[in-house]
């Protein structure tokens, strides 16, 4: 139990569906992250929120839309995805308010997304 | 671009043996971290070593850092079946937005044979 909870753990969706991934952290951290993990590829940083403001958007297609309503919650809204978007999506949080790398990241268990 | 690269990509050893994984990186860093990931799960932080440190221990883990060679190694002593996992190094780097971010490699897949 890392203090970061992701739901759902598994999601199957068609290319025309709209769905959302949810992340909640119970650690009192100030920064939250979305990473994408595909087979045989390094973890890809997608978005960073620090104190509820987006501080990084790593050239992610607009079919992925993040939302951070408060410092404890982070969403990833998905629409008109492609089969190559199938991956493990990992949420993480850290204490550092600048969203930087001064300390460790605490990861959730991930949401396994399959796009048909 | 990828900052850290782990070597080897896969490693299988007998239970009780020591496992060594290496990480090389390209640019100057402030710190380097190692994470473990069990199959299909989230990453778990193992250890952080700062650029002014050369060695750090945590239980059966020993991490070294050589900034002149831009490399780090993770040693797991007296391996156990539960150590079977993928291990990633992560280095901080300056992003396009002017802040530091962690960049991960592709990992070393470690299998401990009982």
């Amino acid at each position: 139990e890392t203090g970061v909870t992701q739901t759902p753990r598994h999601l199957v969706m068609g290319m025309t569906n709209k769905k959302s991934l949810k992340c909640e952290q119970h650690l009192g951290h100030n920064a939250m992250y979305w990473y994408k993990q595909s087979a045989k590829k390094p973890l890809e940083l997608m978005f960073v929120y620090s104190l509820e403001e987006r501080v990084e958007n790593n050239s992610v297609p607009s079919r992925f839309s993040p939302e951070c309503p408060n410092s404890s919650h982070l969403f990833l809204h998905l629409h008109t995805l492609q089969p190559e978007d199938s991956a493990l999506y990992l949420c993480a949080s850290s204490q550092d308010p600048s969203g930087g790398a001064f300390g460790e990241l605490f990861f959730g268990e991930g949401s396994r997304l399959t796009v048909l | 671009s990828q900052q850290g690269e782990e070597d080897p990509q896969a490693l299988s050893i007998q239970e009780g043996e020591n496992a060594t994984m290496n990480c090389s990186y390209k640019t100057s860093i402030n710190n380097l971290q190692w994470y473990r990931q069990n199959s299909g799960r989230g990453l778990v932080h193992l250890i952080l070593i700062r650029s002014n440190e050369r060695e750090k221990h945590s239980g059966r883990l020993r991490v070294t850092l050589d900034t002149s060679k831009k490399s780090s190694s993770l040693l797991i002593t007296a391996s156990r079946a539960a150590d079977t996992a993928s291990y990633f190094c992560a280095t901080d780097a300056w992003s396009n937005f002017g802040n530091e971010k962690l960049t991960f490699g592709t990992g070393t897949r470690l299998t401990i044979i009982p």
Side-chain angles (χ1 to χ4, degrees):
Chain A
E1 185 62 48
T2 63
V4 180
T5 304
Q6 288 188 244
T7 54
R9 291 292 311 278
H10 300 272
L11 178 62
V12 179
M13 61 187 289
M15 290 193 287
T16 58
N17 291 158
K18 287 186 181 180
K19 297 285 184 184
S20 296
L21 306 180
K22 178 183 176 183
C23 177
E24 183 175 1
Q25 59 97 359
H26 309 275
L27 302 167
H29 286 168
N30 294 310
M32 295 187 77
Y33 310 73
W34 280 116
Y35 280 89
K36 176 184 177 183
Q37 186 176 35
S38 305
K40 298 193 192 309
K41 288 176 124 179
L43 252 68
E44 299 174 50
L45 178 63
M46 299 177 72
F47 301 104
V48 181
Y49 277 82
S50 176
L51 297 172
E52 300 155 43
E53 288 192 20
R54 192 187 310 179
V55 296
E56 176 126 6
N57 178 349
N58 219 22
S59 302
V60 179
S62 60
R63 57 186 183 268
F64 295 92
S65 174
E67 179 190 1
C68 187
N70 54 62
S71 60
S72 299
H73 293 85
L74 184 65
F75 295 88
L76 188 62
H77 303 301
L78 317 168
H79 64 98
T80 59
L81 294 192
Q82 305 297 311
E84 59 265 29
D85 297 323
S86 298
L88 182 67
Y89 288 84
L90 292 163
C91 173
S93 71
S94 72
Q95 199 164 18
D96 172 38
S98 72
F102 303 109
E104 65 181 278
L105 295 182
F106 291 77
F107 282 86
E109 295 284 22
S111 293
R112 172 69 62 186
L113 173 66
T114 303
V115 181
L116 301 177
Chain B
S1 63
Q2 189 174 326
Q3 166 74 320
E5 291 189 25
E6 292 89 348
D7 171 63
Q9 291 188 0
L11 177 64
S12 292
I13 60 172
Q14 293 292 135
E15 191 168 18
E17 293 181 341
N18 295 342
T20 300
M21 288 157 273
N22 302 297
C23 171
S24 59
Y25 57 92
K26 295 177 183 144
T27 63
S28 297
I29 61 171
N30 289 326
N31 66 62
L32 183 145
Q33 303 181 38
W34 285 92
Y35 288 79
R36 183 188 74 226
Q37 183 181 33
N38 287 33
S39 183
R41 309 288 293 273
L43 279 72
V44 176
H45 180 264
L46 295 176
I47 200 163
L48 180 153
I49 186 165
R50 302 201 183 278
S51 59
N52 60 354
E53 297 175 310
R54 291 295 167 259
E55 189 171 308
K56 206 160 181 181
H57 297 255
S58 177
R60 292 184 295 112
L61 305 181
R62 173 180 167 243
V63 168
T64 62
L65 179 64
D66 187 334
T67 53
S68 66
K69 294 181 180 177
K70 292 187 169 60
S71 67
S72 173
S73 67
L74 170 67
L75 168 68
I76 303 175
T77 60
S79 63
R80 304 168 182 168
D83 295 328
T84 293
S86 292
Y87 291 82
F88 297 85
C89 70
T91 54
D92 61 342
W94 291 103
S95 75
N96 293 334
F97 290 80
N99 60 309
E100 288 183 274
K101 65 173 185 180
L102 275 183
T103 304
F104 291 80
T106 52
T108 292
R109 177 68 192 167
L110 175 65
T111 302
I112 308 299
I113 304 165

